[in-house]
Amino acid sequence: MAEKLPPEVQAQLAKFQQLKDQLDRLLLEKSTIENELREINKVLEELSVLNADATIYKIVGNLLVKSDKTSVEKELNDRKELLELRSRTYQKQESILRKQLEDLQAKINDMLSKYYPQGGQTGIKA
């Protein structure tokens, strides 16, 4: 069927696929950020029950380096803040992309119904 589609429909389908691929990449990145945030929250929770003078080691490359609790907590909270900002940005981008996909899907279905009025089942789904 793709060979018989008019060029403008093919162009819209290509644009739809690009937006879908972009959304998939965004969701993967968002998932990675959310996983890292969960890990940071767990570490911060564990740190909160330790004494201020507890011996703490952090991984730096291939080394374990002794560090103080305050600096590790500050470092983790800074990273957490950055990741939360990126997560909110990705959520907004996801919402925009989903809206664009819905609009483009409706446009493509309208175009297909004009070219194939008898088709009934020719519409696309995201």
Side-chain angles (χ1 to χ4, degrees), residues 65-79:
V65 178
K66 189 174 182 178
S67 187
D68 63 291
K69 179 182 172 184
T70 307
S71 66
V72 170
E73 284 178 324
K74 181 182 179 343
E75 192 177 308
L76 287 171
N77 280 316
D78 289 347
R79 179 70 179 156

Side-chain angles (χ1 to χ4, degrees), residues 3 9 11-12 15 20 24 27 32 35 39-41 44 60 65 67 70 82 87 94 98 104 110 114 121 123-124:
E3 299 79 38
V9 174
Q12 294 301 315
K15 184 177 178 183
K20 184 110 173 60
D24 291 342
L27 291 174
T32 302
N35 288 336
E39 185 177 320
I40 286 173
N41 285 327
L44 285 170
V60 178
V65 178
S67 187
T70 307
L82 176 67
S87 180
E94 178 185 356
R98 287 190 187 280
L104 190 54
D110 286 345
K114 289 177 187 173
Q121 298 288 342
I124 65 164

Side-chain angles (χ1 to χ4, degrees), residues 41-90:
N41 285 327
K42 286 179 186 176
V43 172
L44 285 170
E45 187 178 316
E46 289 296 322
L47 284 175
S48 71
V49 299
L50 295 177
N51 296 328
D53 61 344
T55 302
I56 297 175
Y57 294 91
K58 68 178 184 176
I59 297 175
V60 178
N62 292 328
L63 301 174
L64 283 176
V65 178
K66 189 174 182 178
S67 187
D68 63 291
K69 179 182 172 184
T70 307
S71 66
V72 170
E73 284 178 324
K74 181 182 179 343
E75 192 177 308
L76 287 171
N77 280 316
D78 289 347
R79 179 70 179 156
K80 178 181 173 181
E81 187 178 317
L82 176 67
L83 290 172
E84 286 172 341
L85 176 63
R86 287 177 63 193
S87 180
R88 285 190 300 272
T89 301
Y90 284 169

